[in-house]
Amino acid sequence: MAIYNKLLLRQAQKYLGNLDNISEELQAFLKAVNESYDHYEKDHHLLERSIELSSEEMIELNQQLRKETEGLKKAHQELKETEKIRLEKTLDAQKIKQLREISEAVIAAQEKERSNLAAELHDNINQILGASRLYIDTAINNEEVRLNLIKESKLFLDNAMEEIRYLSRTLLPPRLSQTSLVEALNDMIKNIKMVDKLEIITDWEHLDESAMCEQMKLSIFRIIQEQLNNIFKHAQATTVIIEITQHDGLQLSIKDNGIGFNTSEKRNGIGLQNIISRTNLFNGEVVINSAPGEGCELLISFNRQVENVPKKIAS
């Protein structure tokens, strides 16, 4: 008897009995379904691995924050006997507060990511697999419509596999030590254009990445990814222009022609806070130019001292 997936074997034996005595046509059908189960398990393993990587990066950031805090406490003790103790205490407190805000923003982003993943698995992929299982059960018991149901079930499984691959690509950070920032950005824009009609104009082809560490490249990638996500959700824009230039440092500009907003009003979303936190890690500055009906322009500037960065940052 052929070797089948445990779940498929149990279902098949339940309805068909001894599988050694089934027809060649039904054996071929079970083989096709078994291959679909195997593909699903491989993609599910990839998805679990992507979540593990994301969690590992958050743990690394928390460890880095603890080290920074311990270093600040030690420096504070050494300065206790000097006239500058009050000023140093204030500066240390501000630094600790900033590190805590960064950690909180990263944790909030991780929780949001997991909530979205759970919703996708429950509301989308789970429904697709449920429909596929229903079709398979019907096909096993109804020979007249078996072929059509097999074809429909295969389409459902292919769709589920593609959804899982998409989620995995979204969660896994780009390995910028193995590829350039420009290549990673181009791949992201290409994937967006496949599923969205938004016109995205880019200008970064002559970017010199030699002075940029992998962590800074990853931060720039995530900042652009986060702002595009904000535009998709809120801006109602038709065109986005993204530029990266290098004049006495590095400047990033993301401009859309959407509905805009009043910058003086408090905004509760974590997307902008994530962008500000990532920029602060590299002593950068964030400027937002927007008004109702006039789109939005996000400007981020980094000076030349880009080598002075944390060893690890979250994706």
Side-chain angles (χ1 to χ4, degrees):
M1 181 176 68
I3 299 175
Y4 296 113
N5 180 280
K6 292 182 178 179
L7 177 60
L8 176 61
L9 180 61
R10 186 164 57 250
Q11 291 292 324
Q13 289 178 336
K14 177 180 178 181
Y15 291 100
L16 301 177
N18 188 348
L19 301 185
D20 291 329
N21 300 324
I22 62 176
S23 65
E24 293 183 357
E25 178 186 6
L26 195 52
Q27 287 180 356
F29 163 67
L30 291 176
K31 182 179 179 181
V33 175
N34 189 69
E35 290 176 353
S36 297
Y37 270 85
D38 290 340
H39 284 302
Y40 167 73
E41 290 182 349
K42 291 178 181 178
D43 286 331
H44 188 266
H45 175 74
L46 176 61
L47 184 61
E48 291 179 338
R49 179 56 180 158
S50 69
I51 295 175
E52 292 175 0
L53 288 175
S54 183
S55 299
E56 290 171 0
E57 289 171 351
M58 185 176 69
I59 292 172
E60 288 176 351
L61 175 62
N62 288 332
Q63 292 174 345
Q64 176 67 26
L65 292 177
R66 284 196 294 269
K67 291 179 181 179
E68 291 279 353
T69 302
E70 291 171 359
L72 289 170
K73 290 180 178 178
K74 182 178 180 181
H76 176 72
Q77 292 297 324
E78 294 173 353
L79 292 169
K80 186 179 294 184
E81 302 301 326
T82 70
E83 293 293 332
K84 299 180 181 180
I85 182 60
R86 184 174 300 177
L87 176 60
E88 294 296 335
K89 184 177 180 180
T90 301
L91 292 176
D92 287 351
Q94 291 175 346
K95 181 65 174 179
I96 293 173
K97 180 181 178 182
Q98 183 184 58
L99 292 172
R100 286 175 178 170
E101 289 175 348
I102 292 172
S103 179
E104 290 172 358
V106 171
I107 292 172
Q110 293 284 350
E111 291 301 320
K112 178 184 176 183
E113 182 179 84
R114 281 165 170 74
S115 296
N116 292 338
L117 176 60
E120 285 292 330
L121 290 173
H122 180 272
D123 299 336
N124 192 11
I125 297 176
N126 193 46
Q127 299 299 323
I128 295 173
L129 293 176
S132 175
R133 179 177 179 178
L134 178 62
Y135 274 45
I136 291 173
D137 287 343
T138 306
I140 291 175
N141 294 295
N142 194 330
E143 186 173 356
E144 294 181 0
V145 295
R146 180 171 297 161
L147 183 59
N148 289 334
L149 291 178
I150 291 173
K151 292 179 180 179
E152 292 295 327
S153 179
K154 184 178 183 302
L155 292 176
F156 279 129
L157 291 172
D158 289 342
N159 191 10
M161 292 163 59
E162 187 59 35
E163 290 288 335
I164 292 173
R165 291 191 186 102
Y166 174 76
L167 288 175
S168 299
R169 289 195 300 268
T170 302
L171 290 173
L172 286 170
R175 293 303 176 191
L176 294 171
S177 60
Q178 304 172 7
T179 185
S180 71
L181 173 62
V182 169
E183 291 173 339
L185 289 172
N186 285 334
D187 286 343
M188 177 176 66
I189 299 301
K190 179 181 177 181
N191 291 333
I192 291 173
K193 288 182 177 180
M194 292 176 61
V195 296
D196 196 284
K197 295 182 179 180
L198 180 67
E199 180 183 14
I200 303 177
I201 302 171
T202 62
D203 183 5
W204 53 46
E205 297 303 323
H206 301 292
L207 179 64
D208 180 9
E209 303 181 29
S210 60
M212 300 166 61
C213 64
E214 181 179 355
Q215 290 84 2
M216 185 175 187
K217 294 178 186 179
L218 180 57
S219 281
I220 292 174
F221 180 91
R222 291 304 193 195
I223 287 171
I224 294 175
Q225 188 179 54
E226 186 73 61
Q227 183 61 7
L228 285 175
N229 187 50
N230 291 338
I231 292 171
F232 295 147
K233 288 184 176 180
H234 309 295
Q236 301 178 28
T238 59
T239 302
V240 177
I241 301 175
I242 309 174
E243 296 179 308
I244 303 178
T245 57
Q246 291 168 303
H247 302 292
D248 194 27
L250 185 143
Q251 295 79 37
L252 168 63
S253 169
I254 307 175
K255 186 174 182 180
D256 68 74
N257 66 343
I259 60 175
F261 57 92
N262 187 346
T263 57
S264 64
E265 294 181 355
K266 183 178 179 180
R267 305 182 69 82
N268 297 322
I270 66 172
L272 182 58
Q273 182 58 48
N274 287 337
I275 291 174
I276 294 174
S277 297
R278 289 183 182 278
T279 304
N280 288 342
L281 282 173
F282 297 90
N283 299 319
E285 296 182 356
V286 178
V287 176
I288 300 175
N289 298 320
S290 184
E294 297 184 10
C296 176
E297 182 178 29
L298 176 70
L299 299 173
I300 295 178
S301 300
F302 301 100
N303 59 32
R304 288 186 178 274
Q305 304 302 318
V306 296
E307 67 275 13
N308 297 323
V309 298
K311 293 182 179 180
K312 291 288 183 181
I313 61 175
S315 66

